[in-house]
Amino acid sequence: MVSAFLIDAINDPTKVVQELYEEHTGDIDQFPAVVARHFSDVFLNSDDTLREVLPLDVNHPPESFAHRSLVRFHGMVQDTSSSPEMYLASLNENKCGGWGISQNMPASEWPSSFDYCDLKEATALWAVTVPGQTDWRTEELTSRSYCGSSSSQSPPQPHKFPVPNAPHIGVQVKIYDNEAAQSLKATDVVTFIGILTSESLDSEAESSPMVPSLHVLCHKVQSTSDASPTQELASVRDDLIKWIADEALAGDEVAAQWLVLELSAKVYTRVTPLLPPSLTLSRFPSPTPSSPALPTLHYVLSDLLPQYLTVPLSLDLLNKESFSPESKDEDLHSGYLQVPQGTTLLLTENGVQEGKLVEKGIMNIRAVQEVMDAQTLEYSFPFSKFSFPTDIVTMVLCDGRKSAFFQTGFTVPLETKPSLKDNLYKPRDQIKIPDTVKLAAYRSFLAAAKRCFGTVQVAEETSQHIQEDFVRQRQEDPSITADDLIHLMKVARLLAASMLEHEVTVDIWETSKRLDGSRRKRTP
């Protein structure tokens, strides 16, 4: 049964805010929190009620909504550096002035005098469509939406979206519950529910562009599910590896297994760094003139992961585009690497031709390497630079024996089956997609493996076995160092996570050694 509160909130959110204001008898400074609680109770307690609110997205752009419509926007916080906006919280006749009401009033209706104590601040920030959010994830979030048409208008502030020239929504977000807004930071993925208007980007400037503005009633930051993995999910691992190998890696199941290990990684701790290693798939052939430009792996990963981006590297792209955010004229311009935590990035080097890297290209390569090595991204401001934490899984495809630009944690030379080599590049409609149930199981398995990675421990018995094994290997081969041991421990943790095991056992350790040994035999 749909509640009356839900119907009222959807039909006329401004009226509901006014009614709450008239009922409020406490401190006016606490009223924004009262509004946030009310709308959170109405919409955020279940996915079903949340989906009753129409989405603001590329298929339902701002111009398709009536003025002051209630919308939900699932987006990434891109810029939090905007100054707070002043608004008149209380108007004549006990009327509320927040949530765009006073900002959108004709000058003739403004009170002739007002108490300066009624001037309050709203937090202003810029949010964009989640970069790299895959189609299936978007459909999952907007399953209750009506059928709309994509926007014919260019998005405002296009330099604030990480991927140049990509369709997206950019919106000015205004949050009146300032205490709740304080915790929001750049690259957070948030679902905002609010009242949509069109307003000046800078209310204090004489001439400023009009942009979509969302007056937030309540919001929810995306969190990672902590559901426990099931034995049923663990059983799909081998099937998933074979599907990736046959469809996207020309039958190379060893490379597919390393790919699944890589997709199982996430940032667990930064104190004693346990970070996702990076992966290079080398000897990966370049596309032929008659084949698609993107590898089949791009489509396979898009069907498996909720947040995923392919960046087809070229000297032109490296030298001209931005990979790191940079503030220009007090406006934060985005870059390819300003993506949400949990994003997987595939960098393809097959399009790189001979030529010269200019300073910007060199800085872009350094930025990617910094993400690979330390999971941090530098934001540049006029008089300072600050590094912010990331959690990005990075993979590289190259046709040489190693990456031309990057030093990755693992390099796995591809070994293709001649009969399946054409599968490396093929149109999306030629990919054999598993049925809906199996595909959902693959997605759930990879999500569970990521959750598992942070919980993997080494049992005391296994620890003793590893120490003795390492001493024995050093005696047999003095060239083996402590770095080799650290490397194998990473492999063992990844392997355990990819098996949805919370503990590195002796069997997993021995399997890790064999897996890494098979990789090393391939390395030229």
Side-chain angles (χ1 to χ4, degrees):
M1 179 179 176
V2 179
S3 72
F5 288 128
L6 182 67
I7 295 171
D8 290 344
I10 291 173
N11 289 341
D12 194 345
T14 305
K15 181 181 177 183
V16 173
V17 170
Q18 182 58 43
E19 289 172 350
L20 289 172
Y21 184 80
E22 291 170 0
E23 294 169 4
H24 182 66
T25 56
D27 186 346
I28 193 171
D29 289 334
Q30 301 302 314
F31 182 62
V34 170
V35 172
R37 280 196 300 272
H38 174 83
F39 283 92
S40 294
D41 288 343
V42 173
F43 292 114
L44 300 183
N45 286 334
S46 80
D47 289 342
D48 288 339
T49 52
L50 181 61
R51 287 180 179 132
E52 289 293 328
V53 185
L54 294 174
L56 175 65
D57 56 30
V58 292
N59 291 318
H60 314 94
E63 62 269 22
S64 68
F65 291 94
H67 182 62
R68 298 194 66 78
S69 291
L70 185 76
V71 300
R72 61 182 160 98
F73 180 56
H74 184 72
M76 183 192 80
V77 177
Q78 189 272 333
D79 186 1
T80 60
S81 63
S82 300
S83 300
E85 180 168 292
M86 303 296 294
Y87 71 97
L88 190 58
S90 183
L91 305 176
N92 292 340
E93 300 177 1
N94 195 32
K95 291 190 178 296
C96 175
W99 292 270
I101 297 172
S102 62
Q103 293 99 316
N104 287 273
M105 276 176 50
S108 59
E109 295 182 21
W110 267 71
S112 55
S113 63
F114 57 85
D115 188 339
Y116 280 93
C117 291
D118 289 337
L119 279 176
K120 304 298 177 184
E121 288 185 346
T123 299
L125 51 85
W126 190 265
V128 295
T129 303
V130 179
Q133 182 169 283
T134 48
D135 290 346
W136 68 267
R137 175 60 176 156
T138 301
E139 290 170 7
E140 193 175 65
L141 289 167
T142 59
S143 59
R144 173 58 181 82
S145 66
Y146 63 89
C147 183
S149 58
S150 60
S151 174
S152 59
Q153 298 184 13
S154 299
Q157 307 288 90
H159 58 272
K160 300 182 82 64
F161 192 67
V163 185
N165 304 316
H168 70 278
I169 297 294
V171 62
Q172 180 176 232
V173 173
K174 299 180 181 181
I175 304 175
Y176 295 79
D177 186 358
N178 291 305
E179 187 174 343
Q182 293 307 306
S183 61
L184 295 180
K185 56 189 183 299
T187 74
D188 278 351
V189 175
V190 187
T191 298
F192 299 101
I193 292 183
I195 298 170
L196 183 65
T197 65
S198 178
E199 296 174 11
S200 170
L201 180 62
D202 184 354
S203 58
E204 297 180 4
E206 288 187 11
S207 61
S208 180
M210 300 296 286
V211 297
S213 298
L214 188 62
H215 299 270
V216 175
L217 298 164
C218 60
H219 70 270
K220 178 172 69 173
V221 179
Q222 177 175 280
S223 60
T224 304
S225 169
D226 57 0
S228 300
T230 64
Q231 195 59 42
E232 290 78 9
L233 278 180
S235 67
V236 309
R237 181 181 185 275
D238 291 345
D239 198 26
L240 170 61
I241 289 171
K242 181 164 176 50
W243 179 64
I244 293 174
D246 289 348
E247 289 302 312
L249 298 178
D252 190 344
E253 292 191 25
V254 171
Q257 185 162 350
W258 280 99
L259 190 76
V260 168
L261 262 61
E262 180 72 10
L263 297 178
S264 302
K266 62 176 288 187
V267 173
Y268 174 55
T269 174
R270 297 178 189 271
V271 181
T272 305
L274 183 54
L275 309 174
S278 46
L279 171 70
T280 294
L281 289 179
S282 63
R283 304 296 188 197
F284 199 100
S286 296
T288 64
S290 60
S291 67
L294 289 173
T296 310
L297 185 60
H298 162 79
Y299 301 111
V300 166
L301 293 176
S302 295
D303 281 335
L304 292 173
L305 304 172
Q307 287 171 200
Y308 162 78
L309 270 177
T310 293
V311 182
L313 296 180
S314 65
L315 288 182
D316 194 54
L317 182 141
L318 286 167
N319 288 334
K320 293 181 179 178
E321 303 296 349
S322 295
F323 278 61
S324 302
E326 181 181 2
S327 181
K328 300 176 183 178
D329 300 323
E330 299 184 358
D331 182 15
L332 187 66
H333 291 228
S334 193
Y336 273 110
L337 297 175
Q338 193 189 24
V339 293
Q341 297 195 3
T343 298
T344 297
L345 207 61
L346 181 68
L347 306 168
T348 63
E349 295 183 2
N350 308 96
V352 177
Q353 305 294 325
E354 288 188 13
K356 182 181 178 181
L357 273 176
V358 300
E359 184 182 3
K360 184 165 189 172
I362 294 170
M363 296 302 293
N364 282 334
I365 288 171
R366 285 179 182 170
V368 175
Q369 192 67 57
E370 186 68 15
V371 168
M372 289 178 173
D373 294 343
Q375 286 294 335
T376 57
L377 177 63
E378 193 172 75
Y379 285 50
S380 298
F381 297 92
F383 304 106
S384 58
K385 294 183 178 182
F386 297 97
S387 288
F388 291 87
T390 63
D391 186 356
I392 302 171
V393 166
T394 347
M395 298 182 291
V396 180
L397 299 185
C398 67
D399 55 7
R401 64 184 182 86
K402 64 178 183 179
S403 168
F405 301 119
F406 310 111
Q407 293 182 338
T408 57
F410 305 125
T411 297
V412 182
L414 192 69
E415 291 188 355
T416 62
K417 293 180 179 178
S419 62
L420 295 175
K421 194 171 181 179
D422 289 345
N423 283 1
L424 292 173
Y425 294 92
K426 61 181 179 181
R428 186 182 184 91
D429 58 9
Q430 292 181 18
I431 300 172
K432 296 174 183 174
I433 304 295
D435 62 59
T436 305
V437 174
K438 184 175 286 188
L439 194 56
Y442 288 169
R443 293 165 180 168
S444 297
F445 164 78
L446 290 172
K450 271 191 183 292
R451 293 193 296 270
C452 230
F453 180 65
T455 67
V456 173
Q457 304 293 324
V458 182
E460 188 174 336
E461 176 191 353
T462 307
S463 180
Q464 183 65 33
H465 174 84
I466 291 172
Q467 291 178 44
E468 294 171 357
D469 191 29
F470 179 62
V471 171
R472 186 169 57 253
Q473 289 181 68
R474 285 287 301 271
Q475 291 171 345
E476 295 172 357
D477 183 358
S479 67
I480 292 175
T481 67
D483 287 341
D484 295 307
L485 176 62
I486 293 169
H487 169 85
L488 275 175
M489 285 301 301
K490 287 181 182 177
V491 177
R493 285 181 179 276
L494 287 167
L495 183 61
S498 77
M499 298 170 74
L500 304 190
E501 297 288 348
H502 296 281
E503 188 177 284
V504 175
T505 62
V506 172
D507 283 346
I508 288 176
W509 172 255
E510 293 297 330
T511 303
S512 300
K513 286 167 55 183
R514 290 192 296 273
L515 181 63
D516 198 56
S518 67
R519 179 188 68 85
R520 289 178 184 273
K521 286 179 182 177
R522 294 180 170 199
T523 305

